[in-house]
Every structure is written in C-alpha cells, then in structure tokens.
Amino acid sequence: MNTDLPQLPSVAPEILAEAVENLTARLRKKLDAAIEGCAAGAARGDDGSVTVRFGEDALVTLRPGPGGTVTAAEQATCTCLLAPRCLHRAAVLGAAPLADADQPPHSGPHLDPDPDPDPASASAPDAGAGPEAGAAGVGRSSAGRAGSGAGLGGSWDGPEPAPESAPEALTAAQLGAAAALWRAAAEALAAGVTAGGAVVQAELLRAAHTARLAGLPRAEAAALRVVRGLRAARERSGGHRLADLTGAFRELLHTAGLLASGTAGPALTGTARRAYRPGGSLRVYGLCREPVLSSTGYGGVATHLLAEDGSRYSVSDVRPGGLARARGAGSASVALGGAALDHAGLARGGLRIAGATVSADGRLGAGRGVQATPLRGVPWTEEPAAALFARPAAEAVAAQLADRDADPDGAGPALLGCEVAVVGAAGEDLLVREVRADAPLLRLRAAHPHPELPHTANLRRIAAHPGLLLRVLGRPDLDRAATLRPLAVGPVPGAEYTLRLPEEWLGRADLGYDVLQGGHFPPGAAAAPSAAEGPDVLADSPLWRVRRLLESGVAGGRRAVAEAARTTEPLTAYGPLRRAGFTTAAELAAALAAEADRRPRDPFGRLTNASPDAYARAWLATSTHLAAAERSLVAASWAWGRAVSP
C-alpha cells in the first residue's frame, strides 16, 4: 500500500494487471516513475470518487463500487487521448492499495472477515490461513515440502513434489494456471526488489487472477503476499521485513511448484471460503482477547476460548477499519447467537452454545441456528484453564513443532501457558526464566508492536520489576529461538511478589487492551533470577551465511547472488558451514551461487539470458533446507535452556 495516498480506493488485482498489460513497451518503462508522482494531484470528490491530475489534459478518475473497491475497468477512467491504454490510468491504479479477491488476507491466525458461517452455505476450509506480518511470520507451510528436482517436461520446469505429497487430480486449467504462476514467480525472484517494479508485479497479479479463476485461491493468496511485500520493500515501508518477503517467495514457489506438478493435496488447492461444520452443544470459557491488524486496512479482535475437554476455539470480529477498529473491537458486542456479551466480557466469561458451527481451525461461527447463553468465567487457576500451565513450555513447543512437521499446512502455533520470573528488559523485549529446574531463559516479544497498542508498554512496565512472578499465556514464535509472544499475564497463585489485579479482571490482564499501572504491581523488590545467557543456537550458527545469500537474492535479484559468487571463494564462504556439520546447506548455497552466475551462450557464442526456472529451483531448494535446519535449532533452543534470540 502506498502510504502517501491514503485517499485512493483499493483496486482489484486483475484490474491493475489488465491496465499494465495494455501499455506499450515504451510506456511500461515509465510506469514506476509515474506511480511515484501520483500524490501531487490526488483529490476526493463529493460523490466519493478520487481524481488525480496529470498536466492540463489528463484527469484520472476512480469511482469505487459500494464496497469501496475498484472492481471493474470502467470504474477507472482518464480524459487523455490514449485512454484507457494510457500511462496515467495505469499509474493511478498502480499507486492504489491492492484489494483482496474475496476476503481480507490472513495476516495472523485469527483474521476473519466474519463470513456467513451457516454450514449449508459454506464450502471447504480456507487454506490461506497462517501467520504473516502480524503475529507469527510468513511462509511457514513451505518448510520441508518442496523439492529441487529436475524439470518434468512439457511447459512445466519447476520443482518435483516431495515424496510425501499425496496425488490429487487437478484439471488442465489448474495445471496451466499453476505453471504460469511458477513462471511469474521465478521471473519476480530473478528480478528481486530492485527490479521488481509495477510491470513485474502486474505479471504476478495476472497469474494470480488466473489461479483464482482456476479454483486455486491459496496460490492466489501466496502471490498477493509477494506483491504486497515487493511494494512495501520498494516504498521502504516501516512494516517491511526482508525475512518476511523471503518467506513469502518460498511459500509461493512451493505452492505453485507442487500444484503445477499435478500431485498437490487438497490443502494446497484450497477454497475461497472457510467451512463451518456443526459443532453441537458446547461450553467454552474465555482465556484472553487479542487485537488483529492487517496490512490492507482490516482490524478487529479475536477472543480465545477453551472448552471443558481442552479443545481450543475463538470468536473473531475483523472488518475494514485498521488500527481504530482493532482498538475499539476489544469492547464491541459479540455477534454470536444473541449472547449479551462484549469481547471484554467474553474473555473473562463463558458461553453455553447450542447448535454451534465450527471451522477447521476452531473458529466459532454465527450461523442463523446458533444460540448462546453467558456463563460464569473460569480463572486460570481452575480447570480447564489450569491445564495450560501444568506442562513445561519446552514440552509444549516440542509437540507443536512435531505437529507442524507432520502437517506443515495446518493451523498456526497454539497458545501455551507458563509461570516465569522476570529477569529484565532486553531492548523492547522482556527476558524471563520459567519457574522450573533447568528451565530456559525466554524472550517475551510484543505480539503486536504497534506503538498505539499497549503490548510493548505493558512489557516495559513488567521489566521494571525484576524477580516478579507471573503467569504468561502466549503463542510461541516458532521461527525464533526460545521466544514467546505473550497475549495475557496474571498473578502466580500463592506468590507474594506477583501481580495484584482488580477482582473484575478475573486474575488476568490482556496485554493488547488492558494497561498495567503502578498499583497492579507489589511494593518493594525481589531478587532477580540468574540472567546468564549461553550461546544462541540460531543466531550463532553459520547458517546466517545461507540466510544472507537468500535474502540478498530477494533484495537484489539474481544479479546480487551472482556478484556474491564472483567476489567470494566458495571454500571461504561456506567452509564454516561444512566444519559445523551443515554440509548440505553449504552444497545448496554453492549450487545456488553457481546457477545465479551461469551465463549461457547461443550457437554463435553470444551471451543469452538464462532461464529463471533453474535459478528458482536452486533458490527454493536452499530456502526449504534452511527453514528445516532453523526449525531444528529453534526446537533445541527451548530444550537446552539458555539460548535466546538476539
């Protein structure tokens, strides 16, 4: 999204792709510069339209539909003689934020536009859900699944599927769409951020739209994440992280590669709607609530619930509105079966639900037949919530990592609880030690670091009380060493130096909504636990060399990787990897660098452009192996007890 143009309406990806495709080669070269200059002439009309003027003779007008999105070509017009195949119209469309095809993107494990959850009208589960730029990172499902084999013949020359992929018959249209998406993704990867301007992005958008029409919404969602990442990187957005864009590329190549091979499972095919199945009668109790923010302007809240048998559920309320919506939704009414509760009350209360509808990832739907009655809340000291704090954090994380290895396309990290003693601040993070023998030193990192949400401020206040004992409920960050993203905290039963929360808070504070004050902390001081840190098994491993090579390729394209190969001797660059036992990582990185620097010649000896397919296969193989290796090190950091991320 272009932050200089907040008044521009969002644009459907296929509309932008078509506008760029209609430009001549000469005009395409000028497109990026034209997009940067759009802000000067933008204005909003009384009828809701937005106009952007280019000189005296060209006025571009966007007239969004009722949903606030430009979804048809005739809604974007220009007064110049070349319209609609003009640079002005394409530039304004390229400057506008990208709209989602059917629903808001999954920036976190609980982003839901509140679709109609009636089982009779819903279809299969949404497969695009998973952590992104919000709470838990991007591209998780690609780890350990994509291969790097030879081409498969025909029009497809992408990676072969991993042996565990179950064959699934795809239509010819789906195979063709996936192959086209692979080619567009490979071209974008070879270009990198520096050359990944509007034209490269438009090719990805066109391939994404084709995938959508072919019934491959997960592939479309992966492509849109890459385009948004390229935009954020080129605009130097404050929310851009090169690691996230690297993960998004891995996810896209993995998804497109398996689909184009014709042997992808149903999870990779996906559907555009989330299925809600009948759940019968349920008794659920609130655990905490969590703000939800999307990079595309959606905001809201997700309230986490626990059933009597330990099953996890959630109720979400996410709509357009961004930060203001996320802040206000914490006290908004719960739209579930007529229950007279708001999300603040539900987080500390409960519900008896008749005729429940439940999605595959535990989201409760608000179908027409659902009836809900409020119940008394259950404190964390009573069952079923008490069971969350009975298991060592290392065991809980090991189980989650094992589940992710078995089903990389499953739900995101689950909530876990632990009792900790505060060690002190580490930058904006909080260091704590679990109250167990030989327990690890953990890093608590703000689940939502936005400065207008209280997560970071609450952690800072807690850090000022070394030795404080508290219970923490959060989501482990499975991409960082011994790191937990806390959502709520509470006092430790029977402890003297612990939190003192109001009785109406029912023994816990939601870090994204409740603000901890001085009166919530005990007077005096306590002895802080040992803060000695051992080596960080993730940051101190030589795998950073591979990570830097992959990220330099995303930032600077194939040329940047080739330059690294020319200026560094392979033994010098990857010798530490081999000596540390990462032989496969060293070989894959060397192969990637060699492929990036490969310069084929035609029969007359003239240099020709190398196909991006082989480079994309080498990059995907290296990235997939790195993700698997880092995942193993993350598991070790929780088990070994003294490693924390930098």
Side-chain angles (χ1 to χ4, degrees):
M1 177 185 295
N2 192 324
T3 56
D4 293 330
L5 295 169
Q7 67 270 41
L8 286 180
S10 57
V11 173
E14 62 271 18
I15 302 301
L16 172 58
E18 182 181 18
V20 175
E21 185 181 30
N22 288 335
L23 296 179
T24 64
R26 181 179 63 85
L27 293 179
R28 290 187 183 189
K29 294 179 181 179
K30 301 179 179 181
L31 182 56
D32 289 326
I35 289 175
E36 294 178 1
C38 283
R44 181 172 294 277
D46 295 336
D47 59 352
S49 63
V50 176
T51 59
V52 180
R53 180 169 293 280
F54 292 83
E56 294 295 330
D57 302 323
L59 181 68
V60 177
T61 303
L62 301 182
R63 295 183 176 87
T69 300
V70 175
T71 57
E74 57 268 20
Q75 292 175 338
T77 61
C78 181
T79 59
C80 77
L81 296 177
L82 293 179
R85 302 187 176 189
C86 62
L87 179 63
H88 316 113
R89 179 174 177 271
V92 175
L93 291 174
L98 282 178
D100 294 285
D102 293 311
Q103 59 184 20
H106 295 272
S107 70
H110 295 281
L111 180 53
D112 191 349
D114 195 21
D116 179 6
D118 184 6
S121 62
S123 58
D126 175 73
E132 186 193 333
V138 189
R140 180 184 62 79
S141 62
S142 59
R145 291 290 301 274
S148 58
L152 301 179
S155 61
W156 167 243
D157 194 26
E160 291 189 20
E164 66 270 20
S165 298
E168 180 75 14
L170 300 179
T171 66
Q174 289 175 322
L175 293 174
L181 189 56
W182 166 269
R183 290 191 294 270
E187 291 282 359
L189 178 67
V193 172
T194 55
V199 175
V200 171
Q201 295 170 25
E203 292 298 324
L204 270 174
L205 293 177
R206 174 159 291 280
H209 182 59
T210 303
R212 176 191 174 192
L213 295 178
L216 301 174
R218 172 163 177 169
E220 178 202 21
L224 292 180
R225 282 193 290 272
V226 168
V227 173
R228 290 191 178 99
L230 288 172
R231 282 188 165 197
R234 291 178 63 84
E235 294 170 3
R236 294 178 173 84
S237 168
H240 163 68
R241 291 181 65 247
L242 188 57
D244 292 340
L245 182 54
T246 302
F249 263 112
R250 183 174 64 242
E251 168 80 6
L252 175 58
L253 290 169
H254 157 72
T255 303
L258 281 182
L259 287 171
S261 70
T263 54
L268 278 184
T269 304
T271 56
R273 295 289 304 275
R274 177 178 296 108
Y276 283 77
R277 55 178 172 76
S281 297
L282 294 175
R283 283 176 175 258
V284 293
Y285 300 95
L287 290 174
C288 64
R289 57 198 160 133
E290 172 186 10
V292 178
L293 278 175
S294 162
S295 60
T296 53
Y298 285 83
V301 63
T303 298
H304 300 274
L305 308 167
L306 193 64
E308 294 175 313
D309 62 356
S311 301
R312 316 286 181 90
Y313 298 95
S314 66
V315 174
S316 58
D317 180 7
V318 182
R319 304 178 190 277
L323 177 64
R325 181 76 175 78
R327 296 174 63 182
S331 55
S333 297
V334 176
L336 184 66
L341 275 178
D342 57 19
H343 280 271
L346 179 58
R348 296 180 172 93
L351 286 176
R352 179 189 292 111
I353 306 174
T357 58
V358 187
S359 73
D361 55 359
R363 306 186 200 196
L364 295 175
R368 289 182 290 273
V370 178
Q371 296 181 346
T373 305
L375 294 175
R376 180 189 70 86
V378 173
W380 285 357
T381 54
E382 298 180 13
E383 296 296 343
L388 295 175
F389 301 90
R391 189 179 191 184
E395 291 184 11
V397 172
Q400 292 194 33
L401 287 168
D403 291 341
R404 193 169 77 166
D405 288 340
D407 182 16
D409 302 310
L415 298 184
L416 64 84
C418 56
E419 293 186 358
V420 300
V422 174
V423 174
E428 294 295 323
D429 301 336
L430 172 65
L431 293 182
V432 299
R433 188 176 295 282
E434 193 175 5
V435 186
R436 294 181 184 274
D438 299 324
L441 190 66
L442 306 180
R443 181 176 292 257
L444 303 188
R445 178 161 292 182
H448 298 278
H450 197 287
E452 295 192 39
L453 293 175
H455 287 277
T456 301
N458 280 330
L459 291 182
R460 191 180 298 120
R461 293 187 183 96
I462 295 173
H465 298 270
L468 182 74
L469 298 178
L470 69 158
R471 283 187 161 187
V472 178
L473 184 68
R475 185 180 295 111
D477 189 336
L478 301 183
D479 295 319
R480 297 181 183 272
T483 301
L484 188 68
R485 304 251 181 197
L487 300 182
V489 295
V492 173
E496 294 185 4
Y497 197 68
T498 188
L499 291 174
R500 299 181 176 182
L501 302 179
E503 184 177 351
E504 60 270 21
W505 285 15
L506 201 65
R508 65 257 204 177
D510 296 330
L511 295 178
Y513 289 104
D514 300 322
V515 178
L516 295 175
Q517 305 289 350
H520 297 148
F521 295 91
S530 170
E533 299 182 29
D536 184 328
V537 295
L538 186 59
D540 294 344
S541 77
L543 286 174
W544 66 265
R545 301 171 185 271
V546 184
R547 190 183 314 114
R548 185 173 64 179
L549 182 68
L550 291 168
E551 292 183 353
S552 66
V554 170
R558 179 174 187 156
R559 180 177 299 179
V561 179
E563 287 296 328
R566 297 191 194 109
T567 57
T568 306
E569 291 293 332
L571 291 178
T572 302
Y574 306 122
L577 284 167
R578 292 187 174 89
R579 289 192 292 273
F582 297 109
T583 305
T584 302
E587 293 175 352
L588 288 172
L592 172 61
E595 177 57 37
D597 199 32
R598 186 173 63 86
R599 308 180 71 190
R601 295 179 180 271
D602 64 15
F604 299 99
R606 296 171 297 194
L607 288 174
T608 61
N609 292 329
S611 168
D613 286 342
Y615 172 73
R617 292 198 303 270
W619 188 94
L620 178 59
T622 307
S623 179
T624 299
H625 179 81
L626 175 65
E630 289 184 335
R631 194 165 61 249
S632 298
L633 292 178
V634 167
S637 73
W638 286 86
W640 291 350
R642 289 187 181 271
V644 295
S645 62

